[in-house]
Amino acid sequence: MLKPTLLVLAAGMGSRYGSLKQMDGVGPNNEAIIDYSIYDAIRAGFGKVVFVIRHSFEKEFREVFSAERFSGRIAVEFVFQELDYLPEGLAVPEGRVKPWGTNHAVLMAADVVKEPFAVINADDFYGAEAYQTIGEYLSQLGNSANRYCMVAYDLNRTLSSNGTVSRGVCGVDAAGNLTSMVERTQIERMPDGQIVFHDGGADEPLAEDTPVSMNLFGFTPDYFVHTCDYFKTWFAENSHNIKAEFYIPTMVNKLIGDGTSQLRVLRSTAQWHGVTYKEDKPALVAALNEMIAAGKYPKNLWE
């Protein structure tokens, strides 16, 4: 059985959080969220982790997340997302200062990932159940092509009490496959308990168990080919906008919409945790302490 790879998107600097939150300690021995993600991935049968980072913080990142940290339990590789890392024939438009978004980050791993792989955000805590679910699915794919998956969470398990959030709201057909993914911004729980997103000044309600994407996707390597091809089209259409970003849902919606690929939606009842705002950190630390006390994680992950 082929072991899947974990692709960790860690190139973002977390501007809202105010620091390099990918390396911020949240565990009792200064473990980062990434540590728990990799620990869960190892338990779920993943064989390699690939970090997408920036050259500007490579030294600091490698010092923390070297292969030695994980005691040889999983292979480790690094790739880089930079503004000018573009397919041949493309050039950076004048005034552009940031790389091109999450799906551009995924593309950076094309040369080192040759097996089914899961994509995660470095600063999201997905829960052991989610890694087990997606790991089992990816392990069965072998040399399949155009068979993707994602772990969808109940919306009410992904909110922050410290501000609004943006979520990809998923449409799912009777067979469990994705039909659409629509980005909804400014989602929050109102004082009356209802979850709404603010759209043009109107409050549109969302059900508690609305399936949403937290950027936990699973792909086969053909996804890189599709991404490289379509990125050129997207780039031509968006290069005038120096802030445009090539997101994973953009690519997924395209492939689903034109019938190229299918994406199975794997539902999870796990509680997602993240640090969208600095004020979210104490709640995450408390949740981890509860899980450690319950025996779900050891006090020191890598001893």
Side-chain angles (χ1 to χ4, degrees):
M1 188 179 295
L2 193 62
K3 287 190 173 186
T5 285
L6 183 67
L7 183 61
V8 182
L9 306 187
M13 296 297 288
S15 57
R16 281 186 300 176
Y17 186 70
S19 67
L20 189 61
K21 60 180 171 177
Q22 292 93 332
M23 295 189 289
D24 195 32
V26 294
N29 294 282
N30 209 40
E31 294 94 345
I33 292 176
I34 291 174
D35 284 300
Y36 288 94
S37 297
I38 295 171
Y39 186 85
D40 285 336
I42 292 169
R43 291 194 290 181
F46 285 73
K48 180 169 68 175
V49 57
V50 177
F51 293 110
V52 184
I53 60 173
R54 302 281 296 276
H55 285 292
S56 60
F57 58 84
E58 176 187 3
K59 180 177 181 294
E60 294 89 342
F61 199 95
R62 283 182 180 269
E63 286 175 353
V64 177
F65 297 111
S66 65
E68 291 76 17
R69 182 179 185 86
F70 311 120
S71 307
R73 302 180 198 185
I74 192 167
V76 178
E77 295 198 47
F78 297 86
V79 296
F80 299 91
Q81 182 186 22
E82 299 293 347
L83 175 63
D84 57 347
Y85 286 12
L86 296 169
E88 186 175 355
L90 302 184
V92 178
E94 184 177 355
R96 179 85 190 196
V97 295
K98 291 177 60 178
W100 304 89
T102 53
N103 212 53
H104 176 247
V106 171
L107 183 59
M108 300 300 98
D111 290 338
V112 301
V113 177
K114 306 300 180 184
E115 55 282 315
F117 64 100
V119 179
I120 66 167
N121 293 332
D123 50 4
D124 288 344
F125 181 93
Y126 293 99
E129 304 92 337
Y131 288 97
Q132 196 67 43
T133 297
I134 199 168
E136 288 176 359
Y137 187 90
L138 294 174
S139 295
Q140 303 300 320
L141 293 182
N143 295 319
S144 300
N146 296 311
R147 289 179 59 195
Y148 310 147
C149 65
M150 63 170 285
V151 175
Y153 288 74
D154 292 348
L155 175 60
N156 63 355
R157 297 178 181 271
T158 73
L159 301 177
S160 170
S161 59
N162 296 299
T164 61
V165 298
S166 299
R167 299 288 181 257
V169 174
C170 301
V172 185
D173 66 18
N177 293 316
L178 185 76
T179 58
S180 64
M181 194 182 326
V182 179
E183 184 76 4
R184 297 300 188 193
T185 61
Q186 293 187 303
I187 299 172
E188 63 179 333
R189 189 180 294 280
M190 302 303 288
D192 64 1
Q194 189 175 46
I195 302 173
V196 304
F197 71 92
H198 306 295
D199 186 10
D203 291 344
E204 299 289 336
L206 290 167
E208 298 277 329
D209 62 350
T210 298
V212 296
S213 165
M214 301 306 297
N215 258 16
L216 176 48
F217 290 97
F219 299 114
T220 43
D222 52 277
Y223 185 79
F224 295 120
V225 178
H226 296 314
T227 292
C228 187
D229 289 344
Y230 185 60
F231 184 64
K232 297 172 185 177
T233 301
W234 179 91
F235 189 92
E237 295 172 349
N238 292 275
S239 59
H240 64 283
N241 180 357
I242 61 172
K243 294 185 178 181
E245 296 197 38
F246 186 42
Y247 295 116
I248 294 171
T250 302
M251 188 73 240
V252 166
N253 279 330
K254 189 267 180 189
L255 294 175
I256 300 302
D258 65 19
T260 299
S261 308
Q262 283 190 330
L263 189 146
R264 179 61 55 87
V265 178
L266 309 172
R267 295 301 297 266
S268 174
T269 57
Q271 176 67 47
W272 172 91
H273 295 280
V275 189
T276 304
Y277 303 96
K278 235 174 188 177
E279 294 79 8
D280 293 331
K281 182 178 175 179
L284 171 58
V285 171
L288 283 169
N289 285 334
E290 289 179 7
M291 285 184 271
I292 291 167
K296 294 183 178 181
Y297 296 98
K299 190 169 183 179
N300 191 322
L301 285 182
W302 307 119
E303 275 191 348

